[in-house]
């Protein structure tokens, strides 16, 4: 109950002096929090019951507490939400005899006088009124009248839930747009912002509808924390305010016994994230139920339905195996479970574990599930995340290659990474993967330029960087640097210097090679260098350019630093990046690139000498005039099989047109994903050139095809008896369409002549997809050029390829001819 009396008022606490009684309760030593709110509510009940009796209320009337007062959660300055309920005619003077003493006490009163029928009609027309009545509690008068109203309102709420819940959700969206997300605001509204106390009320209303319930673990504690902070805020300010203003945070922290204002904000942010995540999970459940009721949803999944994800099962990858429709989607009746990755399927719009998944034996599974979900515009189901957190063991150190690639794939998804990341963080999986994350988690940034907490800023920077992966040769390093560039803010001293130390250790644990570790360390240590130098130094002074080139030393690192600089600024806030800043940074980058290019040696590094196995195959192909190949299945380094099996494919073929596209097409038919590939030309016995292809591939769903069948299909494709392009087109046409995510368009560019003195280098950077290399190879074949050498790599979800091309006589292409080839590849990639 609110009052204008000072909290330290020492007056008597008798029934005739409710304001003094309230003041004594608020200042007396003893428990606060929920116990104090309940005691405030109980004392207010007694007071109103006395006023009701003194007013001479007749039979058939009742005083009903609604809203927060109805829940017994009166904060020090809360309004009193009261309904005077009556049957038949009512003495017009009765409400005045009841309300005037309340007003005289200084309390803020929100009151109404209605019959049960009127209350029901108002609730039907006004969602907020109906929500308040869901918490109706009897205070005084006829209890049967209150009980009947509660029963009627709850019955109406459950009967009309299909219409009212979407309206409730829209109210929540409007509040979030007006007030923002509580967990990222320096001056948050504890009640109205997303993740605040109003969302807790909405979750209780959803539970009352019997359609869905929120994940309750941690939710009650989070709601209590927010309510306690609001109580302290009321006591500190003496006002019924919900906004935790900067000038009040130190006093609120002191009143709650918290170390300082930053610690207070971190606790508020953590509570808000718990509430917001619970709300997201619950609203998805509501959507599924309502869709099923309307006939738009899928019927519940039948327990026991198998998903094998193997080449011999319903997703068979052999060219002559199961039908394309069966490989694209598993259907049992009207239920669909579509494969996303090994051990992960899509069901009801979420990523869930396949029945055969073994979390305890597959520590990469959390990252694989997260990456698959994000790349398909989904989130990971709450039950799946909880199971992963409970059963998966930590990743070995260094990480398996797949774990690193899946993290990069997750980050490379862009905006759709955010809800997946939040789901993992809600169950502690992020700090398990990245222990240093705990220091930046929910850490506020008291800077007017920054819009996010440190951890969310890091993820937002990775989201921004995902749109820039076509600008750099190492998109994996760009995304990881974006995620970790401010990781040092949880440590004392200069955060860039601290971050460099952390990233060196963390990158090594992730399994990056020494050169990549060094690049990441440079990017983190100097992520502010480019923008600070461009805006604070004379661009015409040679020392300005030298300050940058001395740091980055190579052109690829300069490209990475330029992209990271922009992603960091865009993720900071509107004031951190502008056309003026961009022009200064671009000018400095161009000058630095010119200096680095002039210093760099022309041409690629010399190729390594062929191995004995490669020479054997090349000799065999040259002598027989046909293909020679070897397949080596290789398990991951993890003895428990955590890393999916892969294949090392060596193929030697006498030089012939169409080789690259044909071989890539056969691999795509067998659902093998190309992780890396190399193509080189040999002449082992002087009888003519032999092309040697060295491929590293992985099965899309974990199980390799039979080596004999793959070898046979390669031979058939090369002799023309297997139409690879037609088979792939038939399969793609039969497969159901799955929603994807927006990705940056592919970049196809001709490298400067300095890249090679003997060939034209065509660079292709694109989002990796089944059959990508096949499409590139067919386009190159169609132009009539020779692919002398190729270097193909897949970094997360991005393919970064370089093709060394010549004309029929073995000479570099002319500039117009190179442009035509680039245009053909660009058209093939759409």
């Amino acid at each position: 109950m609110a009052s204008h009396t000072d909290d330290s008022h020492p007056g008597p606490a008798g029934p005739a002096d409710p304001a003094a009684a309230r003041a004594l309760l608020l200042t007396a030593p003893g428990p606060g929090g929920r116990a104090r709110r309940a005691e405030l509510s109980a004392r207010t009940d007694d007071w109103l019951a006395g006023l009701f009796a003194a007013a001479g209320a007749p039979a058939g009337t009742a005083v009903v507490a609604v809203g927060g007062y109805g829940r017994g959660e009166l904060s020090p300055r809360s309004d009193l939400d009261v309904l005077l309920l009556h049957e038949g005619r009512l003495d017009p003077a009765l409400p005045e005899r009841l309300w005037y003493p309340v007003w005289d006490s200084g309390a803020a009163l929100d009151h109404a006088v209605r019959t049960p029928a009127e209350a029901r009609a108002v609730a039907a027309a006004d969602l907020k009124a109906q929500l308040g009545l869901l918490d109706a509690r009897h205070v005084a008068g006829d209890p049967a009248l209150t009980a009947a109203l509660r029963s009627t309102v709850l019955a109406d709420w459950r009967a009309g839930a299909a219409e009212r819940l979407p309206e409730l959700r829209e109210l929540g969206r409007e509040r979030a747009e007006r007030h923002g997300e509580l967990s990222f605001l320096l001056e948050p509204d504890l009640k109205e912002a997303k993740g605040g106390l109003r969302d807790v009320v909405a979750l209780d209303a959803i539970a009352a509808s019997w359609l869905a319930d929120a994940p309750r673990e941690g939710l009650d504690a989070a709601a209590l924390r927010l309510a306690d902070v609001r109580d302290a805020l009321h006591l500190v300010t003496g006002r019924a305010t919900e906004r935790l203003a900067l000038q009040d945070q130190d006093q609120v922290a002191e009143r709650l016994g918290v170390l300082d204002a930053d610690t207070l904000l971190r606790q508020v942010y953590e509570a808000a994230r718990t509430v917001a995540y619970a709300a997201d999970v619950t609203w998805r459940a509501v959507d599924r139920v309502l869709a099923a009721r309307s006939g738009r949803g899928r019927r519940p999944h039948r327990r026991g339905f198998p998903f094998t994800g193997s080449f011999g099962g319903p997703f068979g990858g052999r060219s002559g195996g199961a039908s394309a429709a069966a490989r694209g989607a598993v259907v049992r009746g009207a239920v669909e479970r579509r494969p996303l990755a090994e051990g992960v399927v899509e069901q009801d719009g979420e990523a869930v574990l396949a029945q055969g998944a073994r979390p305890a034996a597959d520590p990469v599974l959390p990252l694989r599930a997260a990456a698959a979900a994000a790349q398909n515009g989904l989130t990971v189901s709450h039950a799946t995340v909880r199971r992963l957190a409970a059963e998966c063991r930590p990743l070995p150190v260094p990480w398996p290659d797949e774990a690193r690639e899946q993290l990069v794939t997750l980050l490379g998804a862009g905006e759709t990474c955010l809800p997946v990341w939040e789901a993992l963080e809600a169950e502690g999986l992020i700090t398990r993967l990245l222990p240093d994350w705990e220091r930046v988690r929910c850490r506020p940034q008291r800077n007017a330029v920054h819009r996010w907490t440190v951890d969310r800023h890091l993820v937002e920077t990775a989201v921004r960087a995902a749109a820039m992966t076509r600008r750099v040769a190492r998109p994996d390093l760009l995304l990881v640097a974006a995620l970790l560039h401010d990781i040092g803010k949880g440590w004392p001293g200069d955060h860039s210097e601290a971050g460099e130390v952390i990233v060196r250790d963390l990158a090594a644990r992730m399994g990056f090679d020494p050169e990549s570790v060094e690049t990441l360390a440079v990017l983190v240590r100097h992520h502010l260098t480019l923008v600070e130098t461009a805006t604070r130094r004379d661009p015409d002074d040679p020392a300005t350019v030298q300050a940058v080139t001395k740091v980055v030393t190579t052109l690829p690192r300069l490209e990475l630093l330029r992209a990271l600089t922009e992603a960091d600024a865009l993720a900071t806030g509107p004031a951190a990046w502008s056309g003026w800043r961009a022009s200064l940074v671009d000018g400095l980058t161009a000058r630095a690139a010119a200096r680095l290019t002039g210093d760099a040696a022309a041409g690629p590094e010399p190729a390594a000498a062929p191995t004995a196995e490669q020479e054997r195959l090349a000799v065999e192909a040259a002598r027989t005039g046909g293909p020679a190949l070897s397949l080596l299945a290789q398990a991951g380094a993890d003895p428990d099989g955590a890393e999916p099996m892969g294949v090392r494919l060596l193929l030697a073929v006498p030089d012939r047109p169409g080789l690259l596209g044909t071989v890539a097409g056969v691999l795509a038919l067998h659902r093998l994903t190309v992780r890396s590939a190399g193509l080189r030309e040999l002449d082992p016995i002087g009888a003519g050139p032999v092309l040697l292809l060295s491929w590293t591939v992985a099965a899309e769903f974990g199980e390799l095809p039979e080596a004999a069948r793959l070898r046979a299909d390669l031979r058939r494709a090369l002799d023309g008896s297997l139409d690879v392009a037609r088979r792939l087109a038939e399969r793609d046409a039969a497969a159901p369409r799955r929603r994807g995510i927006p990705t940056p368009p592919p970049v196809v560019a001709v490298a400067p002549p300095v890249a090679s003195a003997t060939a034209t280098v065509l660079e292709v950077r694109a989002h990796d997809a089944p059959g990508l290399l096949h499409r590139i190879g067919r386009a190159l074949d169609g132009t009539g050029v020779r692919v002398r050498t190729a270097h193909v790599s897949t970094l997360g979800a991005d393919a970064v390829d370089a093709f060394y091309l010549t004309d029929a006589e073995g000479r570099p292409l002319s500039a117009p001819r190179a442009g035509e080839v680039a245009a053909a590849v660009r058209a093939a990639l759409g």
Side-chain angles (χ1 to χ4, degrees), residues 812-825:
L813 307 180
S814 66
R817 182 78 170 110
E820 293 172 0
V821 174
V825 174

Side-chain angles (χ1 to χ4, degrees), residues 154 173 204 349 351 393 404 614 664 718 752:
L154 281 170
R173 285 174 175 162
D204 289 340
R393 56 187 175 84
R404 188 174 62 256
Q614 290 173 332
L718 291 172

Side-chain angles (χ1 to χ4, degrees), residues 329-355:
V330 182
V331 180
R332 182 73 61 93
V335 178
E336 294 185 3
R337 284 168 64 86
R338 299 180 181 179
L340 298 176
E342 174 64 13
V344 188
V345 297
E346 175 189 353
Q347 179 180 315
D348 290 333
E350 295 181 322
V352 302
L353 295 185
Q355 183 162 345

Side-chain angles (χ1 to χ4, degrees), residues 70-389:
R71 294 188 297 273
E73 297 176 353
L74 276 183
S75 287
R77 301 288 174 178
S78 289
D79 292 353
L80 297 182
D81 297 323
V82 181
L83 170 64
L84 178 58
L85 198 61
H86 68 95
E87 292 181 322
R89 294 179 60 83
L90 186 71
D91 179 3
L94 177 62
E96 294 183 358
R97 294 197 296 270
L98 186 59
W99 307 142
Y100 269 106
V102 179
W103 289 325
D104 290 343
S105 74
L109 179 66
D110 187 353
H111 61 88
V113 181
R114 295 188 178 108
T115 66
E118 290 170 342
R120 186 181 184 188
V122 169
D126 185 343
L127 177 59
K128 293 181 180 179
Q130 190 173 34
L131 292 174
L133 288 173
L134 289 178
D135 295 311
R137 180 174 56 82
H138 183 70
V139 174
D142 186 351
L145 201 59
T146 305
L149 176 65
R150 275 183 53 82
S151 297
T152 300
V153 169
L154 281 170
D156 289 346
W157 175 247
R158 289 163 185 156
E163 291 74 33
R164 301 317 295 264
L165 286 180
E167 186 180 350
L168 178 60
R169 185 173 196 172
E170 187 57 33
L171 285 177
R173 285 174 175 162
E174 292 173 358
R175 282 191 291 101
E177 289 178 0
R178 288 195 307 270
H179 300 281
E181 295 186 60
L182 198 162
S183 53
F184 306 119
L185 297 169
L186 276 177
E187 294 187 308
D189 188 306
L190 299 169
K191 186 175 183 180
E192 303 293 344
K194 181 179 178 181
L197 291 166
R198 190 76 78 182
D199 280 341
V200 177
V201 174
L203 290 175
D204 289 340
I206 296 172
S209 74
W210 291 351
L211 291 188
D213 195 11
R216 291 289 163 179
E217 185 174 0
L219 182 58
D220 186 57
L224 282 175
R225 190 57 184 165
L226 293 178
D228 289 348
V229 174
R230 180 175 64 170
D231 284 4
L233 180 62
H234 285 189
L235 293 173
V236 164
T237 63
R239 295 180 289 109
T241 180
E242 312 295 340
R243 184 169 298 280
L244 187 57
L246 290 172
Q247 65 267 22
D248 301 321
Q249 291 173 8
D250 286 317
Q251 292 175 275
V252 170
E254 182 180 0
R255 191 169 197 100
L256 291 170
V258 175
L259 178 63
D260 54 27
D262 276 5
T263 304
L264 171 68
L265 279 183
R266 291 193 76 177
Q267 292 179 358
V268 168
Y269 293 162
E270 288 174 352
R273 289 191 188 182
T274 299
V275 173
Y277 177 64
D280 290 342
V281 170
T282 306
W283 281 118
R284 288 199 299 271
V286 169
D287 287 343
R288 289 194 295 271
V289 173
L290 295 183
R293 283 190 172 189
S294 66
R296 294 182 288 107
R298 303 176 180 133
R299 284 182 286 176
H301 169 60
R302 279 167 45 179
R303 295 182 64 83
F305 175 62
F307 168 73
T308 63
S310 67
F311 280 86
F315 310 114
R318 303 171 185 173
S319 58
S323 70
R327 288 193 297 269
V330 182
V331 180
R332 182 73 61 93
V335 178
E336 294 185 3
R337 284 168 64 86
R338 299 180 181 179
L340 298 176
E342 174 64 13
V344 188
V345 297
E346 175 189 353
Q347 179 180 315
D348 290 333
E350 295 181 322
V352 302
L353 295 185
Q355 183 162 345
R358 298 183 301 138
D362 189 355
V364 183
L365 188 55
L367 282 172
R368 191 185 311 126
Q375 285 291 327
N376 287 278
L378 308 172
T379 190
V380 186
S381 78
H382 174 64
T384 294
V385 177
R386 293 204 65 189
R387 183 181 171 195
L388 292 171

Side-chain angles (χ1 to χ4, degrees), residues 85 132 285 327 330 364 376-377 433 446 459 555 589 607 699 726 761 793:
L85 198 61
R327 288 193 297 269
V330 182
V364 183
N376 287 278
L433 290 167
R446 296 187 178 276
V459 182
L555 190 60
T589 302
R726 181 180 62 83
V761 180
S793 59

Side-chain angles (χ1 to χ4, degrees), residues 528-539 544 580-581 584:
L528 297 175
T529 296
L530 201 55
V531 68
E532 289 182 347
T533 305
T535 56
R536 299 177 184 177
R537 301 276 291 276
D538 180 3
T544 301
W580 170 74
R581 284 188 172 226
L584 292 178

